[in-house]
Amino acid sequence: MNQVLIAVFALVGAASFSSRIEVVAASAVVACGATWFVDRDALRRVLRVGLLLGLVFAAAAAGAAVAWASGLDRGLFIGATVLLRLVVLVTVAAVVARSVDAEGILAAMSRMGMERLGLVFGLALNCLPHLNETASTVWAAHRIRSGGRWAAIGRLPSLAEVLLAHTGRVADQAAAAAALRGHGALARPVTPLAPKVRTVVVTGSPGAGKTPLLESTADELRNRGFVVAGFLQPAIIENGAKIGFRIRDVASSEVRDLARRVAEGEGNFGTSFSFSEDGFELGRRALNSVPPGSILIIDELGPVELRGGGHWPAVDRALRSFDIAGLVVVVRRTLVPALVEALDAADVVVVDLEEVDGDAVTEVVEALRGEAPIRPSINAIVTDA
Amino acid sequence: MKDLRPWTHAALYGALWGALEATAGTALHLGRVPFRGEIMGLFGLVCLVCLRRLQPKVGVVLVAGSTAIFLKIFTLGGLYPGPLVGIGIQTLAVEFGFIVARGPWAAAIGGIIAFGTNPVQRVITAWIVSGTEAATAVLRAVGELGGIDPRLVLAGFVSLAASMGAVGGVWAWRLAGRVERRLRGGP
């Protein structure tokens, strides 16, 4: 809608609040006429029987009250004025609602420095059809389970509970999806690492042995004469369950606790782990002095790092400050696309432990030397991102 | 808010409120159902209290309220002042409640302010749309039919609505607790 029309509709809307009925009537005629030329669908939307009856009812109520207080003539006058005013307001509302581009609003919010709020609106818009559909499905299931419509209405609190819990789950999934995409605006902005050397991304399912593989790879690299720096994050296992992580400096072998599993909702950074600042400090020290020509091992970068937190700043600083010969990064499988995007590296090879036929250590070392094949399935994962 | 979840929760609970306004709100409005404002207010209160219980961050309720207003204006075609003012006041009321108190008290305070201001907000909206004469006449008619001072009638409505808000707030808090246990697998 161009600016002239916006001005016309704004004027018409303002004029409808005049106390003179001829001005209000004229504004109603202009509003309906302009809408007829600009957006006939909007006018059809206004001229629905249900809506018009509602307007008439509201105007009649106001008119009746005034007629009772000040006489029939005055009541009729007020009723007619209110009806015409409501017609103008509803018409202007219909045109504005159909003409204003939500994308434009989001762009405008971005320009005003409220990008996060714009993204929240965008997410809400995207989720609206899903929530509507879910509400219908949940209602149908609730009605069947309750044995009829009236019994279902009697058990509305349990329906609300299900719907609210479902909404919470979708919100959690949306947060995870935003983290997976390394969404720079909903999360803290992530500076791409942009390593200038060959980068090997080691991945695999949880428990596939990524950390032990990196320990063996570090030993193999040392045997071949490389200097190895960085850190490993071995799991802390108690009674067969993973309850946290330690961090070990690859060069000095110093070990600290990094994270412990805590009750849901009590973790840091939106995870179920409580992180120790001591652990992060050791990670920073491990990356503070990297000899030239080293192979840098980072085990691992997770959702926290992909949101710009955790080890990310230290890794970023190390890659910018030191002249390394190669980089090995561990990441869980679902985060491979997000990491590859956040790395913004010119030369990346992904090694998936479950797809390695022979010796995984040899595969990683060969990948660092540029001799390993790039596997098609991993390519597909990366392309999907 | 470095964690993403308060933002996504605010978006989703704001969207849920917006969706309820679009479906149930429209149906109640067109059906001229009595207490439709209070019914929709309760839906909004439940969404906001649940959101604040799941994500106890200052400002999260304001984001959800802004989202609901955004959806109401730009997707649902609602430029009518009443619901927009109602959503705005309710959002501020719940946020205020959770700033000055905690737990069910916060929800009750939010509910009292949100519901208590509802009749006043309606009178103001009627004043805007119908003019002072009609709004005054309605108040006078209601008062004289019952033989009571119009100001007392309004005060009565405000007290009744505020009581409903207090009960609704506490109920919403308890419901949010059940939702929390459902999501987090607690007892």
Side-chain angles (χ1 to χ4, degrees):
Chain A
M1 193 161 58
N2 65 42
Q3 290 182 340
V4 176
L5 279 168
I6 291 174
V8 168
F9 279 105
L11 273 175
V12 162
S16 70
F17 285 96
S18 167
S19 57
R20 296 176 60 185
I21 191 167
E22 56 271 27
V23 176
V24 182
S27 63
V29 171
V30 173
C32 292
T35 307
W36 176 256
F37 286 108
V38 176
D39 188 350
R40 289 184 189 185
D41 282 343
L43 197 60
R44 286 191 197 102
R45 201 169 155 177
V46 171
L47 296 176
R48 283 176 307 180
V49 176
L51 182 59
L52 286 177
L53 278 178
L55 300 186
V56 169
F57 183 87
V66 174
W68 175 81
S70 312
L72 184 62
D73 289 353
R74 191 71 192 151
L76 284 172
F77 172 81
I78 290 293
T81 308
V82 169
L83 180 61
L84 290 168
R85 187 174 294 151
L86 287 173
V87 167
V88 174
L89 286 179
V90 169
T91 309
V92 173
V95 174
V96 169
R98 285 170 55 86
S99 307
V100 175
D101 184 355
E103 289 296 323
I105 295 286
L106 299 186
M109 297 196 72
S110 224
R111 281 198 296 275
M112 288 188 288
M114 294 193 288
E115 193 179 2
R116 282 185 179 181
L117 194 58
L119 282 166
V120 164
F121 290 170
L123 177 60
L125 274 173
N126 287 336
C127 290
L128 202 56
H130 169 76
L131 288 176
N132 272 327
E133 191 182 323
T134 303
S136 308
T137 312
V138 169
W139 167 249
H142 177 76
R143 212 170 69 179
I144 292 166
R145 205 172 293 143
S146 305
R149 179 174 294 181
W150 295 111
I153 289 172
R155 292 180 60 240
L156 271 183
S158 64
L159 173 73
E161 191 182 323
V162 172
L163 197 54
L164 289 164
H166 177 79
T167 306
R169 278 191 205 101
V170 177
D172 278 333
Q173 286 164 8
L180 284 177
R181 287 196 299 272
H183 217 304
L186 265 185
R188 280 198 290 176
V190 172
T191 317
L193 293 177
K196 296 178 180 67
V197 292
R198 169 153 283 220
T199 302
V200 179
V201 175
V202 177
T203 191
S205 308
K210 299 185 286 288
T211 299
L213 166 71
L214 252 66
E215 284 177 317
S216 308
T217 303
D219 292 341
E220 177 63 24
L221 287 167
R222 283 195 198 97
N223 290 340
R224 294 187 184 208
F226 285 97
V227 179
V228 185
F231 58 80
L232 298 169
Q233 290 184 181
I236 305 170
I237 308 287
E238 263 183 30
N239 301 324
K242 189 185 283 183
I243 60 151
F245 294 93
R246 292 198 174 92
I247 182 165
R248 192 166 83 221
D249 185 335
V250 172
S252 69
S253 296
E254 188 180 347
V255 180
R256 293 275 171 86
D257 273 5
L258 177 65
R260 290 271 174 171
R261 193 181 289 281
V262 290
E264 189 76 38
E266 290 175 11
N268 305 134
F269 311 114
T271 70
S272 52
F273 291 94
S274 170
F275 287 85
S276 143
E277 188 45 43
D278 268 5
F280 282 126
E281 178 54 35
L282 181 60
R284 280 193 288 273
R285 269 192 278 133
L287 299 174
N288 241 354
S289 56
V290 180
S294 300
I295 302 291
L296 192 60
I297 289 180
I298 308 294
D299 171 31
E300 69 176 82
L301 296 179
V304 176
E305 279 74 25
L306 288 173
R307 300 201 296 260
H311 299 302
W312 192 268
V315 175
D316 182 38
R317 203 164 40 245
L319 288 177
R320 287 175 203 286
S321 310
F322 305 112
D323 186 17
I324 60 169
L327 174 65
V328 183
V329 183
V330 170
V331 71
R332 71 180 74 157
R333 217 187 211 152
T334 50
L335 293 179
V336 170
L339 178 71
V340 170
E341 192 184 338
L343 274 175
D344 194 22
D347 190 6
V348 185
V349 176
V350 180
V351 175
D352 188 333
L353 287 190
E354 273 124 285
E355 294 192 7
V356 172
D357 301 326
D359 178 29
V361 174
T362 309
E363 180 103 358
V364 174
V365 173
E366 284 180 357
L368 272 171
R369 294 174 58 193
E371 292 169 7
I374 296 175
R375 297 182 184 280
S377 56
I378 289 296
N379 271 342
I381 293 174
V382 175
T383 311
D384 283 348
Chain B
M1 283 192 261
K2 291 172 188 169
D3 185 1
L4 297 184
R5 290 189 298 179
W7 292 95
T8 56
H9 276 72
L12 264 294
Y13 282 96
L16 180 65
W17 190 6
L20 288 169
E21 286 277 351
T23 51
T26 307
L28 293 176
H29 181 76
L30 291 177
R32 313 299 299 177
V33 175
F35 296 109
R36 55 190 175 280
E38 283 70 24
I39 294 170
M40 288 316 298
L42 187 61
F43 284 156
L45 191 62
V46 164
C47 288
L48 294 181
V49 169
C50 189
L51 166 66
R52 198 57 158 74
R53 184 155 186 174
L54 292 175
Q55 298 295 328
K57 305 270 185 193
V58 174
V60 75
V61 165
L62 298 180
V63 176
S66 309
T67 306
I69 289 176
F70 170 80
L71 293 176
K72 187 89 182 155
I73 295 174
F74 293 112
T75 66
L76 313 174
L79 260 189
Y80 321 111
L84 297 183
V85 174
I87 291 172
I89 289 177
Q90 184 159 7
T91 302
L92 291 172
V94 174
E95 184 68 50
F96 176 77
F98 278 93
I99 287 172
V100 298
R102 297 179 70 180
W105 290 106
I109 291 171
I112 287 170
I113 300 172
F115 278 55
T117 50
N118 207 10
V120 181
Q121 171 235 317
R122 280 195 190 178
V123 170
I124 293 169
T125 307
W127 232 296
I128 293 169
V129 176
S130 312
T132 52
E133 195 177 346
T136 313
V138 169
L139 277 178
R140 210 181 117 199
V142 172
E144 288 197 11
L145 284 175
I148 316 165
D149 186 325
R151 284 168 299 184
L152 278 178
V153 173
L154 187 60
F157 274 121
V158 169
S159 308
L160 181 68
S163 311
M164 286 167 67
V167 174
V170 174
W171 178 75
W173 178 259
R174 294 181 66 180
L175 180 66
R178 290 207 297 275
V179 172
E180 192 178 24
R181 283 192 289 278
R182 191 181 265 266
L183 282 172
R184 294 179 179 161

